[in-house]
Amino acid sequence: MATNRRMLVLRAVVEDYIRSQEPVGSGAVAKDHRLGVSSATVRNDMAALEDEGYLIQPHTSAGRVPTQKGYRYFVDRLARLVPLSPTQRKAIDTFLSGSADLDETLQRAARLLAQITGQVAVVASPSLAKSRLRRLELIGLSGHALLVVVITDTGRVAQHTLPLGPEQECDESQLGGLSETLNRQCQGLSLSKAADRLQAESGQSGPSAGSRLLRGLSQVFADMADEEESSALHMAGRSQLTHRKALTVAELAPLLDALEEQVILMRLMSAQSELSQTNGGVSVAIGKETGTPGLLHASVVTSGYGHAQGEAGRDGGGDDDGPIAFVGSIGPTHMDYQTTMSAVKAVAAYLTTFLAPEGDEDG
């Protein structure tokens, strides 16, 4: 029983410190949280929690504040995420539904999440590597070349010029027919799988102009699929960090520097978005867990969006069943975890629905 009460004391200290950002004393915990014990008992529990590494006393005779271990225990034992209210969800829908295209939607999503949390919001654009083929168009160009236009299920449009030999030239009707054939074969596949399929088809055609064209198109898809780092990051809320209490200049400067390292953020949050799929839809990295020196005094809350919704592609493979991009919030370790986690999850769910084909909006 003493251990259970001790953890209730820890939860109370974390909640109070998140709210006030001031060291929490035993008297306040005993008075405000109705634990049914005296402040002296709470003080003993807090001393034990300090010995166990969950709390730290910054100054003699002062209250205590949570350590990274304390925050981790608190986050792991959040009973459930409080869903956003219908009014808040309607506000999200209203704010984001006025967007003209995907990029504007993602930028609006970042601004909205920053407003809700008061922290830095980061939303990644879907990369081609994790997108699926919605439509392919082949357009003949002068000078023995072909313009390959790929439209993905995320709304991205990519173009690639494919040089042709004299024996590979096709007229407009042939290109239209070939486009339709390729769409039937590859629609709904990831670009890497489409590349594999065309490569396999070329091997069955024998040494011909048609097989060489298929190999060329296969290479185009493979090149597009390799554009993993091409995702853009939409970021909002950096200026709000400078107004946060309990962040010293020594803590704030490396955090702001870390926000400039977009490749590092991309890798960290992409990995966290994958973990979120088995953590109730949201993942939290605290301090040292981020593996990033500039984020030692920060927490990163991440969720993936644009899931494959249970579809594994026409060939049954599952390498594109995870999220295609991420949405997240970065703030101090004393952030309001419950609100931040709920908001990140809600915005991710909206973006997943936004990207879902009509008739498949069950997310």
Side-chain angles (χ1 to χ4, degrees):
M1 290 295 292
T3 300
N4 291 339
R5 186 191 63 239
R6 190 179 301 162
M7 291 305 137
L8 291 176
V9 170
L10 173 60
R11 183 186 181 102
V13 172
V14 174
E15 290 175 346
D16 286 359
Y17 185 69
I18 286 173
R19 183 174 58 253
S20 69
Q21 283 130 60
E22 296 289 344
V24 180
S26 57
V29 172
K31 176 184 176 182
D32 298 338
H33 291 271
R34 299 179 181 178
L35 299 178
V37 294
S38 67
S39 60
T41 300
V42 172
R43 185 161 53 251
N44 290 335
D45 286 340
M46 291 172 70
L49 289 167
E50 184 176 359
D51 290 340
E52 294 168 2
Y54 291 101
L55 300 176
I56 190 172
Q57 190 172 27
H59 307 290
T60 305
S61 301
R64 290 171 173 84
V65 301
T67 63
Q68 177 179 314
K69 182 179 178 180
Y71 285 123
R72 172 47 63 192
Y73 183 91
F74 174 79
V75 169
D76 287 347
R77 284 157 183 78
L78 283 176
R80 64 186 181 90
L81 293 183
V82 177
L84 299 184
S85 68
T87 300
Q88 290 172 314
R89 287 188 172 275
K90 184 178 180 181
I92 290 176
D93 291 345
T94 301
F95 186 83
L96 297 181
S97 62
S99 305
D101 55 29
L102 175 62
D103 280 343
E104 185 180 351
T105 298
L106 299 182
Q107 187 59 57
R108 284 190 177 208
R111 292 202 305 269
L112 177 62
L113 185 57
Q115 291 172 9
I116 294 173
T117 63
Q119 298 163 173
V120 173
V122 182
V123 182
S125 299
S127 69
L128 285 173
K130 295 185 178 180
S131 301
R132 294 182 180 185
L133 179 67
R134 176 178 292 171
R135 183 74 185 169
L136 166 72
E137 296 289 346
L138 301 178
I139 302 171
L141 301 175
S142 59
H144 306 298
L146 201 62
L147 180 64
V148 183
V149 181
V150 169
I151 303 172
T152 72
D153 60 345
T154 62
R156 283 194 62 179
V157 179
Q159 299 180 3
H160 197 289
T161 301
L162 176 64
L164 298 176
E167 76 284 1
Q168 293 176 297
E169 289 190 61
C170 302
D171 60 32
E172 188 173 332
S173 62
Q174 289 175 312
L175 288 176
L178 179 57
S179 296
E180 291 304 319
T181 299
L182 294 176
N183 280 314
R184 286 194 299 270
Q185 292 178 334
C186 299
Q187 190 177 51
L189 298 181
S190 66
L191 298 184
S192 61
K193 287 184 178 179
D196 292 342
R197 175 158 294 184
L198 294 185
Q199 185 66 32
E201 290 286 339
S202 70
Q204 298 173 6
S205 301
S208 65
S211 67
R212 287 192 291 274
L213 177 57
L214 289 176
R215 285 197 297 273
L217 290 171
S218 172
Q219 188 60 53
V220 168
F221 282 139
D223 290 343
M224 289 181 175
D226 285 339
E227 295 182 23
E228 185 66 44
E229 300 298 333
S230 65
S231 300
L233 287 184
H234 301 271
M235 193 176 294
R238 275 178 286 195
S239 62
Q240 299 181 76
L241 281 180
T242 60
H243 302 298
R244 294 299 297 256
K245 293 171 62 178
L247 267 182
T248 66
V249 174
E251 296 168 343
L252 182 61
L255 175 53
L256 292 175
D257 288 341
L259 295 176
E260 297 297 324
E261 300 292 338
Q262 295 200 359
V263 173
I264 294 175
L265 283 182
M266 177 77 72
R267 291 171 181 166
L268 167 64
M269 300 182 81
S270 291
Q272 290 297 313
S273 72
E274 297 288 344
L275 292 175
S276 74
Q277 304 312 294
T278 56
N279 291 336
V282 63
S283 177
V284 181
I286 304 171
K288 293 180 181 178
E289 297 170 357
T290 65
T292 306
L295 299 178
L296 288 179
H297 301 285
S299 291
V300 180
V301 179
T302 314
S303 182
Y305 74 85
H307 318 305
Q309 310 249 352
E311 299 174 7
R314 293 186 179 182
D315 59 354
D319 66 345
D320 54 349
D321 291 343
I324 61 174
F326 61 79
V327 53
S329 182
I330 303 173
T333 52
H334 59 262
M335 69 167 60
D336 183 340
Y337 287 96
Q338 200 150 24
T339 296
T340 301
M341 293 164 72
S342 295
V344 166
K345 190 174 181 180
V347 172
Y350 177 91
L351 294 177
T352 296
T353 301
F354 178 84
L355 292 176
E358 291 185 14
D360 190 26
E361 298 183 358
D362 58 347

